Amino acid sequence: MRIGVLDGRAVVVRGDRAVAVRQASQGRLPDDPMALLDEWPRVRDWAAELPDDAFDLTVTPAALGAPVPRPRQVFAVALNYPPHAAEAGFTPPAEPLVFTKFPACISGPDTTVALPPGKVDWEVELVAVVGRETYRVSEEHAWDAVAGLTVGQDLSERVTQLQGKPAQFSLGKSFPGFGPTGPVLVTPDEFDDPDDLEITGLLNNEAVQHDRTKSMIFPVPELIARLSAVLPLFPGDLVFTGTPAGVGNRMDPPRYLTADDELVSRIEGIGEIRQGFTDVRP
Ligand code: ZN
């Protein structure tokens, strides 16, 4: 199942067609995507029964919003791909390095981001969406706690991210629009292997990042298990799972985003998100 948010309403997506959840369920399921995630098992069972002719809406990418617009918690993991850890000058970590992107930065799949002063960099990432309240789940059962996967960009302003000793990552990764996600949330059963997906970041059509998610040091189930060993996770919580090699500040010379750039982030079996940039700040 693929779930999206079209003109603010939760929809089930099949191909380029969609059906509004509330309308098609005759009011039994909510329009609001956050309320929908609270009833995830019911939603999944109901959507599986939908006939193709129920899909009466056309999906236009520009009308899609963040599949999870108001997550309570957003976790992000640093240095989770060995080549990226190496390019950043670190040995692969023994424990996940966790920070947050404050939820105010979460946005949809097709956006224009106002560039703050500084050095704004790209990080294509697989994002796992929690599907039920989860505390102390084992790695073996962790996929059952995941509603689905989506594409994310962990946009990062490197000056703010790295200032101070020790550096604190979270603010530099939380400027408005710095957490684009989408285009849809895809349930794990849709993938042949949800632990092995091609992930690509394209800057002006050039593939600057490319890997497979099986390269992760801490795969999705291990991250869910380790996070939930510490604190409860809630429906709709996001886990940005780390970025492959090829970020701009490790290029020689370093390369940062400008108003002329277009960034496309793509993951096999999910789709792609697209960001433009502007120097004009609201
Ligand atoms: Zn990241």
Side-chain angles (χ1 to χ4, degrees):
M1 174 176 59
R2 304 166 78 83
I3 288 270
V5 174
L6 192 60
D7 295 321
R9 295 182 301 171
V11 294
V12 182
V13 177
R14 226 174 253 178
D16 61 353
R17 309 289 288 171
V19 57
V21 171
R22 185 165 192 280
Q23 197 177 11
S25 69
Q26 286 154 350
R28 281 171 296 155
L29 291 168
D31 252 345
D32 179 71
M34 300 312 300
L36 200 65
L37 279 155
D38 282 332
E39 306 198 37
W40 193 248
R42 265 181 74 204
V43 177
R44 212 175 34 202
D45 296 345
W46 167 80
E49 305 296 321
L50 281 170
D52 280 338
D53 62 8
F55 288 71
D56 56 346
L57 304 169
T58 302
V59 177
T60 32
L64 284 168
V68 184
R70 297 181 309 280
R72 271 172 274 196
Q73 308 186 98
V74 181
F75 304 91
V77 180
L79 307 180
N80 201 19
Y81 288 77
H84 175 58
E87 73 177 351
F90 294 96
T91 50
E95 302 288 327
L97 303 173
V98 180
F99 58 93
T100 189
K101 290 175 79 69
F102 291 102
C105 78
I106 298 302
S107 58
D110 191 329
T111 59
T112 300
V113 180
L115 292 166
K119 300 172 175 175
V120 179
D121 204 346
W122 56 84
E123 298 190 357
V124 61
E125 304 200 7
L126 178 73
V127 177
V129 180
V130 174
R132 65 171 194 219
E133 192 164 334
T134 301
Y135 187 47
R136 296 180 175 165
V137 73
S138 68
E139 204 177 311
E140 183 192 349
H141 292 113
W143 269 119
D144 299 338
V146 176
L149 301 173
T150 193
V151 183
Q153 254 296 332
D154 177 17
L155 290 171
S156 304
E157 196 285 291
R158 301 298 189 194
V159 176
T160 309
Q161 178 191 340
L162 299 172
Q163 73 192 358
K165 277 191 175 63
Q168 44 78 34
F169 278 20
S170 301
L171 283 178
K173 288 165 171 277
S174 299
F175 287 87
F178 268 33
T181 53
V184 289
L185 185 167
V186 183
T187 50
D189 60 287
E190 295 263 328
F191 302 95
D192 289 339
D193 180 356
D195 287 305
D196 182 18
L197 306 173
E198 184 178 29
I199 177 168
T200 312
L202 298 122
L203 180 64
N204 306 323
N205 290 320
E206 180 197 347
V208 287
Q209 297 191 275
H210 184 239
D211 206 332
R212 299 194 67 86
T213 59
K214 70 168 185 229
S215 304
M216 285 183 195
I217 299 166
F218 305 103
V220 170
E222 189 172 358
L223 289 175
I224 297 288
R226 282 175 176 256
L227 291 168
S228 80
V230 177
L231 75 171
L233 311 182
F234 300 107
D237 282 0
L238 304 182
V239 183
F240 282 71
T241 58
T243 200
V247 297
N249 72 336
R250 299 299 162 188
M251 291 182 165
D252 184 18
R255 168 89 161 82
Y256 299 106
L257 291 164
T258 71
D260 298 327
D261 288 326
E262 185 188 58
L263 190 62
V264 171
S265 311
R266 182 182 293 160
I267 297 180
E268 176 186 6
I270 304 173
E272 63 184 37
I273 62 175
R274 183 177 299 267
Q275 272 60 58
F277 300 89
T278 174
D279 289 319
V280 180
R281 287 186 286 280

